[in-house]
Amino acid sequence: MSVLDNWEQWKDFLGDRLQQAQHEGMNDRVINDVAYQVGEYLAKQVEPKNDQERVLADLWNVASEEEQHAIANMMVKLVKS
């Protein structure tokens, strides 16, 4: 089963990667830029596997680039908590 199949597993996976990035010394700006790049990749290459991912994909696809950065930043905040 892929981490993309379950929302909680996906958030846990992202949280683990965030902690790893912070431990390696990445600053918040770089982390947010990477989150944007991941969001862009997922929106173009990966079919949503659950309702939450479908909502994020739909929002991403109608958002401006600035709004996409905001979505990515919010995902980072979500997995920090």
Side-chain angles (χ1 to χ4, degrees), residues 21-54:
Q22 289 173 324
H23 181 71
E24 296 293 324
M26 276 190 182
N27 66 37
D28 286 344
R29 182 170 179 240
V30 172
I31 289 170
N32 288 332
D33 285 344
V34 170
Y36 170 79
Q37 293 170 12
V38 168
E40 188 71 9
Y41 171 81
L42 291 172
K44 290 181 179 179
Q45 303 294 328
V46 178
E47 185 66 28
K49 303 283 195 234
N50 56 54
D51 292 340
Q52 296 90 341
E53 291 171 11
R54 170 58 59 205

Side-chain angles (χ1 to χ4, degrees), residues 5-81:
D5 291 335
N6 179 285
W7 180 248
E8 291 304 319
Q9 287 179 338
W10 174 237
K11 287 191 327 185
D12 289 345
F13 173 80
L14 290 176
D16 291 345
R17 300 295 76 77
L18 175 63
Q19 287 179 350
Q20 184 180 21
Q22 289 173 324
H23 181 71
E24 296 293 324
M26 276 190 182
N27 66 37
D28 286 344
R29 182 170 179 240
V30 172
I31 289 170
N32 288 332
D33 285 344
V34 170
Y36 170 79
Q37 293 170 12
V38 168
E40 188 71 9
Y41 171 81
L42 291 172
K44 290 181 179 179
Q45 303 294 328
V46 178
E47 185 66 28
K49 303 283 195 234
N50 56 54
D51 292 340
Q52 296 90 341
E53 291 171 11
R54 170 58 59 205
V55 168
L56 281 173
D58 289 348
L59 290 172
W60 191 274
N61 289 327
V62 299
S64 67
E65 185 175 339
E66 181 180 339
E67 292 166 332
Q68 290 170 342
H69 279 278
I71 292 168
N73 293 345
M74 288 184 287
M75 284 301 297
V76 169
K77 285 182 179 182
L78 178 65
V79 300
K80 276 184 179 180
S81 58

